[in-house]
Amino acid sequence: MPRLDDLQIFVTTTEVGSFSAAARLMDISPALASGAVQRLEGCLGVRLFIRSTRRLRLSDDGERYLPHARQALETLKLGEVALTEGRDEIAGLLRLSMPSDLGRNVLLPWLDEFQQLHPKVLLQLRVSDQVADLFGEQLDASIRYGLLADSSLVSLTLCPSNRRTVCASPDYIARYGQPETLEALNRHNCLRYVMGEQTYERWHFHTPDGVKIIQVSGNRTSDDADVVRRWAVAGLGVVYKSKLDVMDDIRGGRLVEIFPDDYGQPAPLQLVCAHRTSLTPALQVLRAFLSERCERYFKQPALPQA
C-alpha cells in the first residue's frame, strides 16, 4: 500500500512543479521529497514523472493516477473532520489574521459558514496586508500567501496550487490593447502593491525558459490589495494578483487573464501558526474546512456572460 506521506508529496510536487519547491512548502529536504516519489513509483510499478535537467512533468501514468491520489487525500481529510465535528472541544476563541482582498471577498463568507457549523467557536479577525506578528499580536494563526521565510513557524497548506495571474478589464484591453508578451508589460499602466517600504514592481514569471523578471511601472500604488484589484476592475490598469483574489472577477467577465495560468509565480495559501501547540482541534478543523472550500472554489464553473 502507498504511504500517505508519499501520496501527499507526490500531489504537492505536481502542484508546485518541482521537488525542491514541494520540499520547501512541506518543510522537508528535496532528497526526502524525491525519495518519497521514487518509493511511490516503486510501489505502483510505474513512472509518475518524466525528469529532465530543466523541468519535471507528469508521465501519462502520472496524469491518470493524480486525480485518484488527490481523492484519497481529500477523503482522509474529510474523515478527520467528521471524527472531530461534534466534540465539545471544537469551541473557544480563534484569533486569525488574513489578507485584505482575500479576507473581505472570499474568506468572510466561508468563516460565516464555519461558525454556523461550530457555533461554540468565537472569531477575532485582523484583516490587513501587512505581515502579522503571531507572537506580539497573540494570534492563533495567520492566513498568508507564499512560502515561509521563518522556518521556526508551522505552516499548513490550504491551497498549494494557487498562482499569480496578470489581468486587466475588458474596457482597458479595448482602449489600450492586450500585451502579447511579458516584455510588453513595460508599455502598460501596471497597478502596483506596496508592503511596508517595498513596492512590488518586479514581477516574476515561471516560463518554459525559466524564471523571467519584468520591471513594471504605473501611476497608482496602494498598500491595500483590495484597492489594487478594484482599480483593475475599473479599467485603470494591469494587475498581477493571486488567482484566488480575482477568481470571481475572471468568472464574471470583469477581468481577463492575459498570459497562461502556469506562467504565474506560485502563491500557495497557507495557515501559519507560531508553534505546534497552537494547533488546537478547532484550528485543525478550520484548516480542513478551508482546504476543502479552496478546492471547491477552483472547480466552480465560469458564470454565463450576459
Side-chain angles (χ1 to χ4, degrees), residues 54-82:
R54 296 187 62 183
R55 63 180 301 186
L56 187 73
R57 63 180 179 86
L58 283 171
S59 66
D60 290 342
D61 287 327
E63 293 278 5
R64 286 192 291 269
Y65 187 66
L66 179 60
H68 300 286
R70 283 177 169 155
Q71 184 177 7
L73 292 171
E74 184 60 27
T75 299
L76 289 171
K77 186 191 324 177
L78 293 176
E80 292 173 1
V81 173

Side-chain angles (χ1 to χ4, degrees), residues 15-85:
E15 290 168 338
V16 298
S18 71
F19 292 128
S20 58
R24 288 194 300 271
L25 196 60
M26 302 181 73
D27 198 21
I28 59 176
S29 70
L32 185 59
S34 177
V37 172
Q38 290 178 14
R39 185 167 52 241
L40 180 59
E41 289 176 325
C43 177
L44 298 172
V46 299
R47 289 187 66 186
L48 297 171
F49 288 106
I50 304 298
R51 299 163 174 84
S52 71
T53 56
R54 296 187 62 183
R55 63 180 301 186
L56 187 73
R57 63 180 179 86
L58 283 171
S59 66
D60 290 342
D61 287 327
E63 293 278 5
R64 286 192 291 269
Y65 187 66
L66 179 60
H68 300 286
R70 283 177 169 155
Q71 184 177 7
L73 292 171
E74 184 60 27
T75 299
L76 289 171
K77 186 191 324 177
L78 293 176
E80 292 173 1
V81 173
L83 287 174
T84 312
E85 283 182 342

Side-chain angles (χ1 to χ4, degrees), residues 38-300:
Q38 290 178 14
R39 185 167 52 241
L40 180 59
E41 289 176 325
C43 177
L44 298 172
V46 299
R47 289 187 66 186
L48 297 171
F49 288 106
I50 304 298
R51 299 163 174 84
S52 71
T53 56
R54 296 187 62 183
R55 63 180 301 186
L56 187 73
R57 63 180 179 86
L58 283 171
S59 66
D60 290 342
D61 287 327
E63 293 278 5
R64 286 192 291 269
Y65 187 66
L66 179 60
H68 300 286
R70 283 177 169 155
Q71 184 177 7
L73 292 171
E74 184 60 27
T75 299
L76 289 171
K77 186 191 324 177
L78 293 176
E80 292 173 1
V81 173
L83 287 174
T84 312
E85 283 182 342
R87 294 180 182 175
D88 291 338
E89 61 264 34
I90 307 303
L93 177 63
L94 281 181
R95 295 162 297 187
L96 305 173
S97 77
M98 61 191 66
S100 65
D101 199 348
L102 184 75
R104 294 184 186 119
N105 301 312
V106 178
L107 293 179
L108 280 182
W110 292 357
L111 291 174
D112 289 342
E113 184 180 353
F114 178 79
Q115 214 165 15
Q116 290 172 3
L117 293 172
H118 306 285
K120 293 185 179 180
V121 172
L122 308 176
L123 290 176
Q124 188 177 99
L125 304 181
R126 179 183 183 273
V127 181
S128 171
D129 287 318
Q130 306 309 307
V131 177
D133 181 352
L134 291 169
F135 296 97
E137 299 177 48
Q138 296 183 323
L139 294 167
D140 296 301
S142 176
I143 298 174
R144 299 182 184 175
Y145 285 123
L147 301 172
L148 287 184
D150 186 348
S151 60
S152 67
L153 301 175
V154 177
S155 174
L156 304 174
T157 304
L158 298 177
C159 190
S161 60
N162 185 56
R163 307 179 78 92
R164 301 191 186 281
T165 184
V166 177
C167 298
S169 73
D171 179 60
Y172 179 90
I173 292 173
R175 284 182 289 136
Y176 302 105
Q178 179 170 315
E180 297 297 331
T181 65
L182 295 176
E183 289 76 11
L185 289 170
N186 293 319
R187 300 190 294 273
H188 285 264
N189 191 47
C190 294
L191 306 169
R192 295 162 299 157
Y193 170 70
V194 179
M195 179 179 285
E197 300 300 318
Q198 182 178 1
T199 300
Y200 286 87
E201 53 194 2
R202 289 167 57 84
W203 292 359
H204 293 66
F205 298 92
H206 291 228
T207 74
D209 297 322
V211 176
K212 183 173 290 188
I213 300 175
I214 305 296
Q215 180 82 31
V216 300
S217 61
N219 63 5
R220 292 177 183 236
T221 62
S222 176
D223 64 352
D224 188 314
D226 192 26
V227 168
V228 176
R229 182 189 62 81
R230 287 169 183 260
W231 283 340
V233 171
L236 299 174
V238 178
V239 72
Y240 193 31
K241 290 278 289 176
S242 156
K243 188 73 172 282
L244 277 170
D245 288 347
V246 294
M247 185 82 77
D248 279 347
D249 294 315
I250 293 169
R251 287 177 174 147
R254 294 179 294 276
L255 290 176
V256 176
E257 287 189 279
I258 293 175
F259 299 112
D261 186 56
D262 55 0
Y263 274 26
Q265 184 179 20
L269 186 67
Q270 306 192 68
L271 185 72
V272 181
C273 306
H275 39 68
R276 294 207 170 270
T277 57
S278 303
L279 295 177
T280 62
L283 197 55
Q284 293 184 53
V285 171
L286 176 63
R287 183 267 178 119
F289 175 86
L290 292 178
S291 296
E292 189 274 334
R293 287 300 180 275
C294 284
E295 183 174 352
R296 184 191 302 178
Y297 192 52
F298 265 93
K299 291 179 180 178
Q300 288 177 2

